[in-house]
């Protein structure tokens, strides 16, 4: 399908070496030819696909740039349509002037994500692969970019399609029973089908479970640093981050707010929250901080319970209040190096001793399975929720088979099949598709 001609600047709006103006649609080449003229010995009558031509780019406002032009003939292009890219010098105003000339030549401005949406509509890319592309572009940690690239390479689409194919076989088997009810399916065959459904549910559940690590890859791991005033929480935050972010003071109760800082461990973003010391006799402002601290603790993936000297009932109470793994950190080991027997680790926020080991503990507490496996691509909440629905439908189909008529079972199986199609895009509604592509930037 070769749609209406659209154009946009595809490179970031900042001064750089090169800027790329992308044009897509049936008229892409005639539009580009009005703006670009190949020069010198390379002058050509007809553009050969996938060849770079150098020449003059006539931009708006009487500006001429010298740049490159490449033509991709449909369907062998990113969008599946005719595409032309103009490469001009990377000036913000210059690239805008080139775009203005392209628009004057007959293209219209592309909407956010419109090139990728056309790639999806033309079957060049699945929906989850397009989402992976967005994750790669927007990823803020190497694990997120990696997960995005696994999605982009079609890992999830492949999984979804394989499960769909198996469900199609099952539907064909039980469909025959619906069409010819007199030819009852044998009980042994029903039990085989049940086994198939259960194994597909198991396969789906594995993906669903991977989201536990996946959402941490996408959103970062939340670490709440808690403990009594003066235990050294702010100092530890600084030691972990490697710079002075929180205010450190020797009078108790100065960290009144939850101070945030981020760092990358093993490719994953860790967001640190320094919480106010939890004290009964706290003043008004401090109480506010304590409230925030409790909230940070509730939302935490890992808690660091920092103490100095001996681990007391207060720390134990805090640990019990944690809904997540807690690491007991005995601080100020430069003053006292004698273990109290309760700590998971001894550190000195002042000298940095033990801080690297603490980082390793934080990693294994937050992501026990690691993030480098080839299965680490389930990072999108949409995929997680859809797969949870697939699992539920497969579960009810498996328990209904042999108990209820097969046409009732097939309703559950079809629901699972359709939900899997929302991942690949085959059954995704216009609303889902529009929501996904509106998150892309213009030019993508
Ligand atoms: P918070 O109230 O828990 O945030 O504690 P701070 O980080 O503000 O530290 C309280 C005091 O303890 C400050 O004077 C710090 O310099 C000191 N302190 C923090 N960590 C260490 C440490 O590892 N060794 C020593 N000797 N002093 C520390």
């Amino acid at each position: 399908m070769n749609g209406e001609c659209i154009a946009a600047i595809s490179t970031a709006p900042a001064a750089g070496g090169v800027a790329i103006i992308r044009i897509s649609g049936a008229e892409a080449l005639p539009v580009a030819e009005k703006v670009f003229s190949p020069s010198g010995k390379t002058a050509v009558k007809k553009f050969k696909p996938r060849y770079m031509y150098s020449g003059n780019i006539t931009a708006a406002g009487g500006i001429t740039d010298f740049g490159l032009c490449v033509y991709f003939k449909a369907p062998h292009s990113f969008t599946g349509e005719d595409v032309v890219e103009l490469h001009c010098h990377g000036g913000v105003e210059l690239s805008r002037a080139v775009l203005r000339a392209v628009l004057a030549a007959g293209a219209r401005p592309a909407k956010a994500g419109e090139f990728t949406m056309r790639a999806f509509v033309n079957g060049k890319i699945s929906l989850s692969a397009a989402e992976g592309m967005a994750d790669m572009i927007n990823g803020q940690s190497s694990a997120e970019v990696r997960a995005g690239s696994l999605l982009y390479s079609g890992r999830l689409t492949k999984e979804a399609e394989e499960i769909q194919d198996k469900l199609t076989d099952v539907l064909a088997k039980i469909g025959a029973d619906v069409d010819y009810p007199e030819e009852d399916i044998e009980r042994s065959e029903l039990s085989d089908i049940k086994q198939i459904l259960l194994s597909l549910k198991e396969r789906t559940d594995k993906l669903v479970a991977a989201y536990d690590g996946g959402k941490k890859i996408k959103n970062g791991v939340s670490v709440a640093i808690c403990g009594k005033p003066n235990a050294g929480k702010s100092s530890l935050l600084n030691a972990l981050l490697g710079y002075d972010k929180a205010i450190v003071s020797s009078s108790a109760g100065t960290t009144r707010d939850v101070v945030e800082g981020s760092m990358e461990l093993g490719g994953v973003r860790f967001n640190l929250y320094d919480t106010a010391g939890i004290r009964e006799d706290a003043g008004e402002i401090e109480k506010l901080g304590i409230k925030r601290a409790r909230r940070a603790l509730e939302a935490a993936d890992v808690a660091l319970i920092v103490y100095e000297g001996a681990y007391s009932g207060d720390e134990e109470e805090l640990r019990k209040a944690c809904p997540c793994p807690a690491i007991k950190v005995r601080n100020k080991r430069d003053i006292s190096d004698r273990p109290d027997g309760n700590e998971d680790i001894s550190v000195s926020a002042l000298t940095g001793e033990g801080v690297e080991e603490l980082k390793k503990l934080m990693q294994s507490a937050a992501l026990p399975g690691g993030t480098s496996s080839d299965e680490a691509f389930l990072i999108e909440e949409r995929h997680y929720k859809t797969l949870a629905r697939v699992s539920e439908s497969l579960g009810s189909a498996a328990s209904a088979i042999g108990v209820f008529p097969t046409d009732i079972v097939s309703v559950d199986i079809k629901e699972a099949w359709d939900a899997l199609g929302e991942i690949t895009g085959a059954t995704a509604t216009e609303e889902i598709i529009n929501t996904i592509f509106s998150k892309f930037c213009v030019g993508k």
Side-chain angles (χ1 to χ4, degrees):
M1 193 178 83
N2 235 337
E4 203 185 348
C5 192
I6 54 169
I9 302 166
S10 282
T11 38
V18 176
I20 297 174
I21 290 85
R22 179 147 58 182
I23 314 166
S24 180
E27 294 299 303
L29 193 56
V31 164
E33 279 172 331
K34 286 187 198 160
V35 175
F36 181 81
S37 39
S39 65
K41 281 183 261 168
T42 61
V44 279
K45 291 257 174 321
K46 201 164 168 282
F47 280 84
K48 206 169 158 187
R50 303 195 210 186
Y51 272 73
M52 278 281 198
Y53 296 92
S54 59
N56 284 335
I57 302 172
T58 311
I63 301 164
T64 302
D65 188 17
F66 188 76
L68 297 170
C69 176
V70 58
Y71 163 51
F72 300 94
K73 192 172 162 52
H76 306 293
S77 70
F78 174 65
T79 59
E81 306 175 329
D82 277 3
V83 168
V84 176
E85 283 179 8
L86 295 170
H87 297 218
C88 66
H89 285 103
V92 177
E93 190 43 46
L94 173 59
S95 53
R96 283 184 191 149
V98 174
L99 177 63
R100 278 201 291 276
V102 168
L103 298 179
R108 72 149 169 86
K111 295 188 204 116
E114 198 171 1
F115 291 99
T116 317
M117 192 184 211
R118 288 188 178 196
F120 166 67
V121 170
N122 292 328
K124 300 292 289 188
I125 188 173
S126 75
L127 201 53
S128 69
E131 289 166 288
M133 194 194 290
D135 286 326
M136 274 203 293
I137 293 171
N138 299 322
Q140 289 184 19
S141 66
S142 55
E144 190 181 350
V145 175
R146 186 173 180 278
S149 76
L150 287 170
L151 271 179
Y152 175 59
S153 70
R155 291 296 293 269
L156 186 58
T157 298
K158 189 165 163 273
E159 276 287 314
E161 284 174 347
E162 279 176 15
I163 299 174
Q164 266 186 328
D165 286 349
K166 294 207 159 64
L167 291 179
T168 305
D169 291 345
V170 171
L171 281 171
K173 275 192 190 133
I174 62 175
D177 184 52
V178 174
D179 294 339
Y180 308 102
E182 65 283 2
E183 290 172 27
D184 270 358
I185 304 187
E186 304 252 341
R187 284 225 70 80
S188 65
E189 211 174 332
L190 283 179
S191 130
D192 286 351
I193 292 173
K194 185 175 180 137
Q195 280 318 310
I196 293 171
L197 290 172
L198 286 174
S199 77
L200 293 177
K201 178 175 157 42
E202 200 180 312
R203 193 164 162 183
T204 310
D205 286 343
K206 253 194 200 155
L207 291 169
V208 171
Y211 184 63
D212 191 41
K215 68 170 183 272
K216 291 174 191 159
I217 291 176
K218 174 101 184 167
N219 306 324
V221 172
S222 289
V223 182
I225 307 178
C226 42
K228 284 185 197 146
N230 256 351
K233 297 179 293 301
S234 310
S235 309
L236 187 60
L237 173 86
N238 291 335
L240 284 165
L241 294 176
Y243 62 95
D244 280 358
K245 171 88 200 239
I247 316 145
V248 181
S249 147
S250 53
S251 77
T254 43
T255 309
R256 293 190 173 134
D257 210 344
V258 175
V259 183
E260 190 183 347
S262 294
M263 62 178 182
E264 201 172 303
L265 290 181
V268 179
R269 196 157 37 98
F270 279 65
N271 299 318
L272 308 184
Y273 297 88
D274 178 11
T275 69
I278 295 176
R279 292 194 311 171
E280 286 311 315
D281 61 342
E284 273 310 300
I285 300 175
E286 215 183 316
K287 271 189 188 144
L288 214 76
I290 291 169
K291 228 167 131 187
R292 290 208 188 101
R294 289 234 160 89
R295 272 212 303 275
L297 202 58
E298 276 162 27
D301 298 307
V302 178
L304 304 186
I305 300 179
V306 186
Y307 66 98
E308 60 173 316
Y311 187 78
S312 73
D314 293 340
E315 278 86 25
E316 184 55 16
E317 223 171 87
L318 211 52
R319 193 192 62 78
K320 282 191 187 142
C322 290
C324 58
I327 302 172
K328 293 178 269 179
V329 185
R330 192 172 67 83
N331 189 28
K332 309 196 186 182
R333 87 179 219 197
D334 54 301
I335 297 175
S336 158
D337 202 18
R338 214 177 28 202
D340 75 332
N342 286 301
E343 68 274 83
D344 293 314
I345 188 161
S346 287
V347 302
S348 166
L350 199 69
T351 65
E353 287 169 279
V355 172
E356 287 309 310
E357 290 98 294
L358 172 60
K359 286 181 185 172
K360 287 195 190 107
L361 278 188
M362 286 160 63
Q363 260 177 273
S364 51
L367 298 146
T371 58
S372 52
S373 91
D374 273 2
E375 307 305 316
F377 51 75
L378 214 102
I379 60 168
E380 288 289 335
E381 194 181 6
R382 182 184 90 82
H383 300 159
Y384 161 72
K385 284 187 169 161
T386 309
L387 288 166
R389 265 170 36 226
V390 173
S391 167
E392 205 184 306
S393 300
L394 291 177
S396 62
S399 38
I401 198 143
V403 181
F404 294 107
T406 46
D407 51 346
I408 290 183
V409 180
S410 69
V411 170
D412 281 325
I413 298 177
K414 277 183 191 137
E415 257 170 32
W417 197 97
D418 283 346
L420 287 162
E422 287 176 24
I423 302 247
T424 62
T427 60
T429 61
E430 211 175 308
E431 195 188 341
I432 295 177
I433 294 167
N434 285 337
T435 311
I436 289 170
F437 288 105
S438 64
K439 287 186 213 144
F440 280 63
C441 47
V442 172
K444 185 65 227 163

